[in-house]
Amino acid sequence: MFGDDRTQSAMLEQILKITVALATARKKDRLFRIVSSALRSLTGAEEARVHVFDRTHQDLHVEYAETDEGPRPVSRGAGKTPLIVDGKPNMAHICSYAAFSGKLTLVDDISKYAGFDFSDLVGPGAPAVRSVLAVPLRNHNETTIGVLQLLNIAAIENGALPPALEQVVAAFASQAAVALENVQLIHRNEELIEILNHTNAKLEEENAALRERVAAPYSFDNIVGQSAAMQDVYALMHKVLKTDATVLITGETGAGKELIASAIHYNGARKSKPFIAQNCAALPENLLESELFGYEKGAFTGADRAKKGLITEADGGALFLDEIGDMPLNLQSKLLRVLQEREVRPLGATASRKVNVRIIAATHCNLQAKIKEGAFREDLYYRLAVFPINLPPLRERKEDIPLLVRHFLAQAEASHGLPSADFSPAAMDALMRHDFPGNIRELRNIVERAVLMREADAPVMPEHLPAEIGGRIDVAASAIFRGGLVQVQTAPEYADGRPLKEQVGRFEAALIQAKLKELGGNKTKTAEVLGISRRSLIDKINRFSKAFEVT
């Protein structure tokens, strides 16, 4: 096929045309037709099947098939080949093997070869299959994104492809992989644009409806969130802003209860008056009593002068009592008197003083449960819960995470004087999968840490996130599709009952060590092959150097 100059010239011209066609393909079906027809023409194969890698399900599935009669109908999700079986790479299927090895894999006679399972190619109604060629489609990052399978190849000579033809097929497959990745990106971008347009339209509708419901132009500039759950919170806040009603804000730790309290105050009628906050769990009982109620000179040893309490300091404004559920019972009764009589008596005083203060309380506790336990006064609860607002945890409004990330990014960059950055899709996906037990506070700290960890002028990557967030990728699967694939089979030796984090660290160190040795200690090349930055690689080497001989 390749020995004649005229034939070679014609073949070269055909390959150039195909390459141009690949570069201009924008739809998967057209791309698959070009790739399948070209490789069938080059190899004389009777049938071609395109297997595409599904990252979510960790398998290969057939998306396109073609014979001499043209494209063959393929049902959705047909021909699924799992890549991981019983926690190990699936080496029994020729396509899976090609994906792992990154090499063209040919079996010239499947009836005489017992190394692979060809049960999906034989049986009643199946075409007579003699030879099979699996061609991995790997992009510029050496990441496998699919496998092209050719059946009954006419170009086989002495049980193999001619070397020149094998080189052409391999080169063509590389071009096809890049084209396929581009098409997938275009398709994904189109989907994202459609989702974004739909989301923006929905948000416009919701914002318009909210503006209609709210007569006054209140602004909650420091509160970030557009989810339905937060819209409900905003609606409640609007109803209580211009009143003096006592508000009880409930929600998990770190959800932003103080932010809600301050927004209610600074958008209300008392906004020109003091807003004073005190955490009831931060001080022991005697100190908390002094802070809240104040004391007269000589009230106790060391009281050499009188001190105004926070309740008096907040006169005319608002007092925010955070973690009210942790207030001692003795102080609860004194606070109840403030709410009932609107007066306060400092320690050591003989008379009470009138105060005009709005109380906004917050807690992460279940106050009803604490009432049953005798740890919280029922009458105080009903005085506080005049207007309850429940602040949802971040895990129940994950659609707000991208907005919050951008908000905290801007804050962190301004605080540390760093250039602007963004989260990579993979890092954002990792955040969206996390449940955030620490809520908004946890997310803010994660974003600030990631900004400091990232490379200059580079986006935030999963490795810049805490291990429990950025490390949730399936180690075996992610390593398999970044080169050095067969090394994943060494992972089971570490599965010795140790904690998962330690096992993953041991495996990661072994993989780095093996790659460094394979590449002659070249850290830059090793980082490229492993898909991480050189700085991240060096950090990992330093971290593992004491436990493993990684050099």
Side-chain angles (χ1 to χ4, degrees):
M1 179 183 293
F2 289 86
D4 181 81
D5 290 342
R6 186 177 302 172
T7 303
Q8 288 185 7
S9 177
M11 185 63 67
L12 209 56
E13 184 177 349
Q14 180 184 2
I15 291 173
L16 288 173
K17 289 181 179 178
I18 294 169
T19 301
V20 172
L22 284 177
T24 57
R26 291 294 180 268
K27 298 293 182 182
K28 279 201 291 188
D29 285 348
R30 180 170 184 269
L31 175 65
F32 291 155
R33 283 198 298 272
I34 294 171
V35 173
S36 299
S37 298
L39 286 183
R40 287 184 58 245
S41 175
L42 286 169
T43 62
E46 293 179 3
E47 182 175 344
R49 300 178 183 180
V50 181
H51 299 251
V52 177
F53 171 45
D54 185 333
R55 294 185 182 275
T56 301
H57 299 96
Q58 294 298 307
D59 63 26
L60 294 166
H61 63 275
V62 179
E63 281 203 14
Y64 182 83
E66 177 183 296
T67 65
D68 290 336
E69 298 176 358
R72 179 168 61 81
V74 175
S75 61
R76 184 177 178 85
K80 287 187 176 181
T81 302
L83 292 165
I84 306 296
V85 177
D86 296 330
K88 300 178 182 179
N90 178 14
M91 295 298 186
H93 195 282
I94 189 170
C95 291
S96 179
Y97 179 86
F100 291 142
S101 65
K103 299 176 181 178
L104 276 71
T105 307
L106 173 67
V107 175
D108 65 322
D109 188 345
I110 67 173
S111 65
K112 298 179 181 179
Y113 187 82
F116 293 123
D117 179 7
F118 292 110
S119 57
D120 61 325
L121 298 178
V122 298
V129 178
R130 300 179 303 278
S131 56
V132 180
L133 174 64
V135 184
L137 302 176
R138 296 167 71 82
N139 62 14
H140 61 283
N141 288 327
E142 292 300 306
T143 299
T144 300
I145 60 174
V147 175
L148 184 70
Q149 186 181 42
L150 301 174
L151 306 180
N152 297 335
I153 302 97
I156 295 175
E157 297 178 1
N158 298 322
L161 289 180
L165 176 58
E166 184 174 341
Q167 291 179 4
V168 171
V169 169
F172 180 77
S174 297
Q175 292 294 319
V178 174
L180 174 57
E181 187 173 49
N182 289 338
V183 168
Q184 289 175 329
L185 287 174
I186 291 170
H187 179 67
R188 180 58 178 159
N189 286 340
E190 290 173 348
E191 288 182 339
L192 291 175
I193 289 171
E194 184 177 350
I195 292 172
L196 183 62
N197 289 337
H198 176 73
T199 303
N200 286 339
K202 188 175 180 181
L203 286 174
E204 281 296 326
E205 292 176 4
E206 291 177 352
N207 288 337
L210 185 60
R211 285 193 294 269
E212 289 177 4
R213 290 199 304 268
V214 182
Y218 302 118
S219 173
F220 303 135
D221 294 334
N222 292 324
I223 304 177
V224 179
Q226 296 179 343
S227 61
M230 286 305 296
Q231 296 295 341
D232 292 341
V233 172
Y234 298 150
L236 290 173
M237 291 171 66
H238 288 310
K239 291 181 182 298
V240 80
L241 288 179
K242 295 300 183 181
T243 75
D244 284 335
T246 303
V247 178
L248 177 62
I249 305 170
T250 57
E252 295 180 2
T253 300
K257 297 186 288 296
E258 183 171 352
L259 202 60
I260 298 296
S262 64
I264 290 173
H265 173 74
Y266 287 111
N267 285 277
R270 295 173 178 253
K271 62 184 177 182
S272 61
K273 299 298 183 178
F275 175 80
I276 297 176
Q278 174 62 50
N279 189 312
C280 298
L283 296 174
E285 181 176 349
N286 58 336
L287 290 181
L288 180 60
E289 184 176 11
S290 298
E291 282 295 309
L292 291 178
F293 298 94
Y295 51 83
E296 295 293 328
K297 181 178 179 180
F300 51 84
T301 304
D304 53 358
R305 59 184 178 83
K307 172 184 170 61
K308 279 186 178 181
L310 296 181
I311 296 173
T312 303
E313 293 280 359
D315 192 20
L319 175 64
F320 174 58
L321 297 175
D322 198 7
E323 301 302 349
I324 190 72
D326 294 319
M327 177 178 278
L329 279 169
N330 177 50
L331 297 187
Q332 290 179 30
S333 61
K334 298 190 71 171
L335 177 62
L336 179 62
R337 182 174 179 80
V338 174
L339 290 168
Q340 289 177 332
E341 308 299 334
R342 296 294 172 182
E343 59 183 29
V344 61
R345 178 181 292 182
L347 293 172
T350 58
S352 298
R353 302 170 184 172
K354 287 292 183 180
V355 289
N356 175 20
V357 61
R358 182 183 195 177
I359 300 294
I360 303 176
T363 181
H364 75 283
C365 300
N366 183 336
L367 292 184
Q368 295 283 9
K370 291 183 79 73
I371 290 171
K372 291 180 180 179
E373 296 168 1
F376 200 83
R377 294 180 63 107
E378 187 173 16
D379 48 3
L380 177 59
Y381 169 76
Y382 288 115
R383 281 287 181 179
L384 292 172
V386 174
F387 197 92
I389 297 177
N390 182 58
L391 188 57
L394 186 54
R395 64 178 174 276
E396 293 180 7
R397 55 183 185 105
K398 288 192 172 182
E399 58 267 45
D400 289 335
I401 289 176
L403 294 174
L404 288 163
V405 167
R406 285 195 289 272
H407 178 71
F408 292 140
L409 269 176
Q411 287 185 342
E413 289 157 3
S415 175
H416 299 290
L418 298 172
S420 61
D422 202 356
F423 271 61
S424 68
M428 184 64 73
D429 181 65
L431 289 180
M432 296 296 286
R433 293 172 184 271
H434 186 52
D435 281 340
F436 291 100
N439 289 293
I440 307 294
R441 186 181 298 129
E442 180 185 1
L443 177 61
R444 182 182 60 206
N445 292 341
I446 287 170
V447 172
E448 184 171 11
R449 175 186 184 276
V451 168
L452 297 174
M453 289 288 291
R454 71 182 179 92
E455 304 286 347
D457 301 321
V460 173
M461 302 300 291
E463 58 262 32
H464 302 138
L465 303 177
E468 66 271 18
I469 301 176
R472 284 190 170 184
I473 303 168
D474 179 8
V475 176
S478 62
I480 281 170
F481 289 91
R482 285 195 174 275
L485 309 183
V486 181
Q487 293 183 23
V488 175
Q489 297 179 75
T490 64
E493 71 180 79
Y494 298 118
D496 54 3
R498 296 173 184 267
L500 176 61
K501 185 175 181 180
E502 183 177 345
Q503 291 187 41
V504 171
R506 286 164 59 86
F507 171 75
E508 191 176 9
L511 183 60
I512 291 172
Q513 184 180 37
K515 271 299 163 191
L516 280 168
K517 184 176 181 181
E518 179 183 330
L519 299 172
N522 189 319
K523 293 184 177 64
T524 301
K525 183 62 177 176
T526 299
E528 291 175 358
V529 170
L530 294 177
I532 60 177
S533 67
R534 190 177 189 276
R535 179 178 174 181
S536 294
L537 175 66
I538 293 173
D539 288 343
K540 291 177 184 295
I541 291 173
N542 292 335
R543 189 163 74 247
F544 295 132
S545 60
K546 292 183 179 179
F548 302 93
E549 295 179 358
V550 180
T551 57

